[in-house]
Each structure stands twice: as C-alpha cells, then as structure tokens.
Amino acid sequence: MSKKSRKKSSKTSSGSPTAKRKTAKTRASTQTRSAKTQRRPASKSTGTIAKAGSHKAASKQLNSSKSASPAAAKSGLAEGQKAPAFRLPRDGGDVVTLADYAGRKLVLFFYPRADTPGCTREAIDFTRLADAFAAAGTAVLGISADPLKAQEKFRDKHKLGVPLISDEKHEMLEAYGAWGQKSMYGKSFLGILRTTVLVGADGKVARVWRNVRVDGHADEVLEAARSL
C-alpha cells in the first residue's frame, strides 16, 4: 500500500477525530431526544393529575355548598313548638332577649335589607300599627343582618317606631328559618327569607308566615295577634 493510500485510510477510519466528533454528536442528539421523550409523558401525567385533583377539589367544594344550602333553609321551626331563645343588639345600643317578652305576645318580622323598597314598606306598616299591636298585648321586633349603624339610619330616615335587631352572624335568622337559599337573575345564593313569626304569651310559636308579600301583611299579622 502506498503512503498516500495509508494516509487517506487513516483520515477516514472510525478512530479519526472527525469520526469521533460525529459519533459523539449523534449519540448526544439521540440521548437528548430520548430524555425529551421520557420527560413529556411525565409532564403530561403530572398536569393531568394536578388538573384532576383540582377538579375533584372544586367538585367537593361545590357539593359541600349544595349540601349546606338546604340545611340552612330548613330550620324545623313549626307552630306549637317553643320559640328559640335569642340575645342580640338592637338600635340604640341596648340588648334584646326573648325573655324580655315573657308573658306577652311577640311579632318577629325578618326582612332582607334595611332601606330597600319592600323592607321599608313593611317596616312602615308595622310602625303604623304599633299602637294597635300594643292594645292587643303584642310587641313587635324587626330583624335583619344589617349592622346597628345601618339599622339606626333606617329608623331615623323613615321615623320607624319598632325596635330593629341586628343579627350579623345569622344565628337568630337560622333558628327561625329566615335564612336560606334564594335566587335572583338566574343565580342562587344564601340570604334572608322574608318571614314573620308570631309567638304566643306562652312562649310557643303560634303562626309562621314564609315568603311574605308585603302589601297588607302587617294588617294580617295584627288580626292573628288579636285572635290569640
């Protein structure tokens, strides 16, 4: 073999620097593709698991919300049972309890929000009949979840003559079945259900009005109180 042939053969052999570089480059490229292939399923799997976990958590939260709503809407309050006790602040800064009205008939009207049209008409109607209720031996209290400042502003603006109770924690509202699921504009939410309860002088629930329509309601309650 000639010297030129030997030199050419030496340059193209697998042990040449050029060949080694090509082989190393090919191997590195193969390893990179293999690593990417291995990583992709893991990443996809992790994302899928995370997404599934998130969906599961959201479903759990939704189910919990759904299960809580009916329970909040149903208090089990029925005519003939003992009226649930309460102790809450009223306009003016005093505290009102059920025991304060022992031996007297008591009207509790629960309204959604102070100074809204329906609630204003209802409160004004009970104020208009306050003397008639007193003559029938019946006290009247208005209850909502508004803070005391809002209740007092409501009272002063419309010159209301009935005490207004603030139940911001919804304890009394729930006990009397006036807190539950409502709907407006296609959306459901928890809120105050317009409800009125008449408690007899014996401390028992005599009448319950649910989903109250304001017009003529106070007059109807007065007639029921007079008949006890």
Side-chain angles (χ1 to χ4, degrees), residues 104-107 130 132-140 198-199 222 225-226:
R104 297 177 62 192
K105 290 174 285 186
L106 176 64
V107 169
F133 274 106
T138 307
V140 179
L198 172 60
V199 180
L222 175 59
R226 283 171 171 166

Side-chain angles (χ1 to χ4, degrees), residues 51-144:
K51 187 175 181 181
S54 176
H55 178 71
K56 188 175 181 181
S59 299
K60 186 176 181 181
Q61 185 177 3
L62 182 62
N63 291 336
S64 175
S65 176
K66 286 183 177 179
S67 63
S69 298
K74 298 177 182 178
S75 71
L77 185 72
E79 295 177 2
Q81 79 173 68
K82 187 176 180 180
F86 59 85
R87 180 183 177 83
L88 291 167
R90 58 155 288 185
D91 61 307
D94 293 332
V95 174
V96 177
T97 69
L98 179 64
D100 294 337
Y101 301 92
R104 297 177 62 192
K105 290 174 285 186
L106 176 64
V107 169
L108 304 167
F109 70 95
F110 300 88
Y111 57 96
R113 188 175 180 181
D115 207 20
T116 52
C119 298
T120 299
R121 294 203 317 273
E122 185 176 20
I124 288 175
D125 282 346
F126 276 110
T127 294
R128 173 176 56 83
L129 297 172
D131 290 340
F133 274 106
T138 307
V140 179
L141 300 176
I143 305 97
S144 75

Side-chain angles (χ1 to χ4, degrees), residues 205-223:
V205 176
R207 287 284 302 276
V208 179
W209 290 265
R210 301 192 186 281
N211 301 314
V212 169
R213 292 185 178 276
V214 173
D215 294 338
H217 175 63
D219 296 274
E220 182 184 350
V221 175
L222 175 59
E223 291 305 313

Side-chain angles (χ1 to χ4, degrees), residues 120 123-124 127 151 154-162 164:
T120 299
I124 288 175
T127 294
Q151 299 283 43
F154 181 38
R155 174 201 64 197
D156 295 341
K157 181 178 178 180
H158 300 285
K159 297 179 174 58
L160 303 177
V162 293
L164 302 178

Side-chain angles (χ1 to χ4, degrees), residues 25 80 130 166 179 205 215:
K25 187 175 182 181
S166 175
W179 178 262
V205 176
D215 294 338

Side-chain angles (χ1 to χ4, degrees), residues 8-28:
K8 187 175 182 179
S9 174
S10 174
K11 288 179 181 180
T12 57
S13 67
S14 60
S16 68
T18 303
K20 286 181 179 180
R21 283 197 298 271
K22 289 182 179 180
T23 303
K25 187 175 182 181
T26 302
R27 187 181 298 112

